[in-house]
Amino acid sequence: MDHFLYRNGVLHAEDVALPQIAAAVGTPFYVYSAATLTRHYQLFTEALSPLPHLVCFSVKSNSNLAVLKLLGALGAGMDVVSGGEYRRAKAAGIPGDRIVFSGVGKTRAEMRLALEGGIRQFNVESEPELHALSEVAASMGLRAPITIRVNPDVDAKTHEKIATGRKEDKFGIPIDRARAIYAEAARLPGIEVVGIDVHIGSQLTDLAPFEQAYSKVADLTTVLRADGHTITRLDLGGGLGIPYTRSNEAPPLPSDYGAMVKRTLGHLDCEIEIEPGRLISGNAGLLVASVIYLKHGEGRDFLIVDAAMNDLIRPAMYGAHHDIVPVIEPPPGAETAPVDIVGPVCESGDTFAKQRALPALTADALIAFRSAGAYGAVMSSEYNTRPLVPEVLVSGDHFAVIRARPTFDEILARDTIPEWL
Ligand code: LLP
């Protein structure tokens, strides 16, 4: 469920009509619903209760400071993968002891930043990284709390660009080498082992791969404890999928996921950490655009809109489906015709949808891309010198611009022409 519904024939974000936001900020824009973000976060905490747990929102899915602040105020932790995301979490007021640091390529500077500012744990992904962290922490007179990300070699059965838990993927260390590396970690100065980490991929619509991976983590917990390690935390990663089409998708709910976690890991007396991104932010956001032209082509019609692949890259990059709906609700029984919905960028890949059934729309009509709150604004760019799309947060009957559209002067001012030209 989300809070983007038609009321009196007009699509609303909570109690705000989208044309009202369009009039204030122009199109295209991203809009997020505070109530939906809140509800999705709460679904996870409810699903994991009464186990001790921390829901660490995956900042990469939506890193706007206002979104982080809202979730942080509810008690969320954050999963960050760069010094930049760490800075965002801190700027949004998240205490260091609620921030976990993931990622295969943490630099020494990033390690130092997090150790200085406070960190709940590093999720270490390789032996060279373990050694680097040991040196950095020891040189600061600190011990870095760590988990080691194990690669359980399960197939998450998701898009190949976002599967991470197979042995051929670049992530984590093979689970059958875990004992040796934990033994190594225990010997190193500046390192304090606190748990185990696993993350097998994103947009998983079946619980079975999670369950396989978590069962392996349960076995590993017992083995590592017998080896004398203190394992008090299990970081289970993110990845639970969302419905991208209204009609025919029913991925498992957070409550189903929580029940499976309790079944596989509940007996181990560990604190559970999870890192959901998409399930919290995905269906909490829309991208709203305007129609520029309806162009009649050879045997097909193109709806050319003012959003493009640089604003929402998921269709071009993953062949991803986003439901696209008119902001003004078509009357019941209105005729539809198939159109290709495309942006203005000079690449055929700048196509959001092919032969999608839509009612007749003319220039300036508003359309909304659903499920765009995760991996939307964060993956956008200024390709074709198209300004980054503004972001708006709605709560009840009010809204605020939480990232303004840059002006062209600001964009051009970032470049410098050397004196010698
Ligand atoms: N934890 C780790 C270590 C991750 O790598 C990811 C996502 C997450 C948590 C959050 O996963 P989620 O709950 O959002 O599925 N750009 C792609 C998705 C990339 C996901 C990368 N890692 C897309 O637009 O589908």
Side-chain angles (χ1 to χ4, degrees):
M1 198 205 105
D2 61 41
H3 291 78
F4 301 109
L5 299 172
Y6 288 107
R7 287 198 203 163
N8 302 322
V10 180
L11 192 59
H12 280 60
E14 302 191 21
D15 299 334
V16 181
L18 294 179
Q20 195 192 335
I21 303 177
V25 303
T27 56
F29 63 89
Y30 278 98
V31 57
Y32 311 127
S33 152
T36 311
L37 289 163
T38 302
R39 179 183 146 78
H40 289 167
Y41 166 76
Q42 282 166 348
L43 288 176
F44 273 115
T45 52
E46 283 162 19
L48 291 177
S49 294
L51 295 181
H53 65 271
L54 183 65
V55 176
C56 296
F57 177 61
S58 182
V59 173
K60 65 164 78 80
S61 72
N62 186 319
S63 60
N64 190 287
L65 291 184
V67 170
L68 304 187
K69 174 102 193 172
L70 181 153
L71 293 169
L74 297 170
M78 299 287 149
D79 164 46
V80 305
V81 293
S82 68
E85 287 191 355
Y86 179 84
R87 285 182 166 85
R88 281 184 177 273
K90 291 301 290 256
I94 315 299
D97 64 6
R98 278 201 256 142
I99 304 176
V100 301
F101 204 139
S102 304
V104 293
K106 301 172 202 82
T107 64
R108 286 167 190 256
E110 288 174 325
M111 292 169 179
R112 214 167 290 120
L113 174 78
L115 285 167
E116 269 163 11
I119 189 79
R120 180 179 179 82
Q121 86 215 17
F122 292 91
N123 295 329
V124 171
E125 299 227 12
S126 67
E127 284 171 278
E129 185 196 342
L130 183 63
H131 285 270
L133 183 58
S134 163
E135 279 168 31
V136 172
S139 75
M140 297 170 73
L142 296 172
R143 289 178 79 200
I146 67 141
T147 70
I148 291 177
R149 177 168 173 182
V150 293
N151 184 329
D153 192 23
V154 301
D155 185 353
K157 299 197 173 59
T158 182
H159 191 284
E160 55 115 8
K161 285 191 177 141
I162 53 176
T164 57
R166 302 161 301 186
K167 63 176 182 300
E168 63 269 33
D169 297 321
K170 70 178 176 186
F171 302 94
I173 56 131
I175 197 161
D176 46 18
R177 296 203 47 226
R179 279 182 84 183
I181 293 168
Y182 271 87
E184 171 91 17
R187 280 195 296 272
L188 287 175
I191 295 290
E192 181 194 359
V193 170
V194 296
I196 307 174
D197 173 45
V198 67
H199 169 81
I200 58 173
S202 193
Q203 186 54 19
L204 273 68
T205 51
D206 180 1
L207 289 182
F210 283 120
E211 186 155 1
Q212 276 171 36
Y214 297 171
S215 304
K216 291 188 181 191
V217 168
D219 294 345
L220 182 62
T221 305
T222 313
V223 170
L224 292 179
R225 281 178 170 166
D227 286 349
H229 301 286
T230 309
I231 304 294
T232 56
R233 290 182 199 161
L234 300 177
D235 182 334
L236 306 180
L240 193 58
I242 62 169
Y244 274 96
T245 52
R246 305 253 126 186
S247 35
N248 57 7
E249 272 180 277
L253 301 172
S255 53
D256 305 325
Y257 174 85
M260 180 273 295
V261 167
K262 288 175 196 166
R263 194 163 67 235
T264 46
L265 301 164
H267 58 288
L268 291 168
D269 193 25
C270 279
E271 184 168 7
I272 301 294
E273 298 164 340
I274 55 169
E275 304 170 349
R278 193 189 311 263
L279 203 138
I280 291 180
S281 55
N283 277 326
L286 305 177
L287 171 64
V288 179
S290 300
V291 173
I292 309 178
Y293 301 115
L294 175 63
K295 172 175 171 177
H296 299 294
E298 279 296 313
R300 62 171 65 203
D301 290 341
F302 297 95
L303 198 63
I304 303 172
V305 301
D306 65 358
M309 63 190 288
N310 67 296
D311 306 313
L312 176 66
I313 199 153
R314 303 192 69 260
M317 188 151 172
Y318 313 110
H321 172 101
H322 285 262
D323 276 353
I324 302 171
V325 295
V327 167
I328 303 301
E329 189 175 24
E335 256 186 54
T336 60
V339 284
D340 285 9
I341 300 157
V342 303
V345 167
C346 315
E347 296 194 26
S348 314
D350 186 22
T351 297
F352 290 116
K354 288 202 162 152
Q355 298 298 287
R356 198 65 78 77
L358 276 183
L361 292 171
T362 49
D364 298 328
L366 295 173
I367 60 164
F369 296 77
R370 289 193 183 272
S371 314
Y375 308 110
V378 284
M379 293 181 79
S380 59
S381 75
E382 287 180 343
Y383 186 39
N384 281 211
T385 308
R386 296 169 44 83
L388 285 183
V389 175
E391 295 173 280
V392 173
L393 182 65
V394 170
S395 180
D397 62 1
H398 55 282
F399 68 92
V401 175
I402 56 173
R403 184 180 76 188
R405 194 189 314 276
T407 65
F408 287 106
D409 286 344
E410 286 163 349
I411 294 174
L412 300 193
R414 292 203 304 256
D415 294 10
T416 18
I417 300 177
E419 258 167 46
W420 40 267
L421 270 187

